[in-house]
Amino acid sequence: QVQLAESGGGMVQPGDSLTLSCKPSGRPFSDYAVAWFRQVPGREREFVAGLSVDGGNHYLANSVVGRFTISRDNAKATVYLQMNNLKPEDTAVYYCAANPSNYYRAYDGRYNTWGQGTQVTVSS
């Protein structure tokens, strides 16, 4: 059973950059598709970015296109979310998710493994 742990969250100012990391424990997840979601209290969880098993295909939410990049380094067993030009509306708890079926799109019901989340706050 794969377990995921996110890191890299924090408080930054608008326009700053931040990189989140997601690492598995229990077993490698090089054969899993991965994604990042985010959630603000009182609102539904929102898809941010997804990446295929081989890293060759990705899918981004419209709100982050041109600003966020998802990538993976299977040798390091790590998935990254590079976030540039952060905005206050990016403030949320960010979750890493994975599934073994190479699904990397927005439906969260297809992901069977989730991390505990890391807080990102963008404020001046």
Side-chain angles (χ1 to χ4, degrees), residues 13-120:
Q13 295 186 340
D16 285 352
S17 297
L18 204 59
T19 300
L20 305 182
S21 299
C22 173
K23 292 182 70 66
S25 61
R27 70 179 290 279
F29 68 169
S30 58
D31 54 345
Y32 280 55
V34 293
W36 289 93
F37 289 77
R38 64 188 181 187
Q39 189 168 25
V40 175
R43 297 176 61 179
E44 291 189 358
R45 186 162 51 195
E46 174 188 24
F47 173 84
V48 176
L51 188 65
S52 61
V53 171
D54 65 0
N57 295 286
H58 68 278
Y59 184 61
L60 297 173
N62 288 338
S63 59
V64 306
V65 170
R67 300 189 300 123
F68 289 15
T69 302
I70 184 171
S71 63
R72 67 192 302 163
D73 185 337
N74 285 336
K76 297 181 178 179
T78 305
V79 173
Y80 303 97
L81 183 68
Q82 173 68 43
M83 305 184 293
N84 298 325
N85 190 22
L86 282 160
K87 304 176 181 181
E89 52 264 41
D90 295 318
T91 295
V93 177
Y94 283 71
Y95 297 91
C96 179
N99 76 84
S101 63
N102 205 24
Y103 177 81
Y104 56 93
R105 297 254 171 170
Y107 178 47
D108 60 0
R110 293 288 300 271
Y111 296 89
N112 63 354
T113 304
W114 293 83
Q116 295 299 307
T118 185
Q119 176 71 46
V120 173

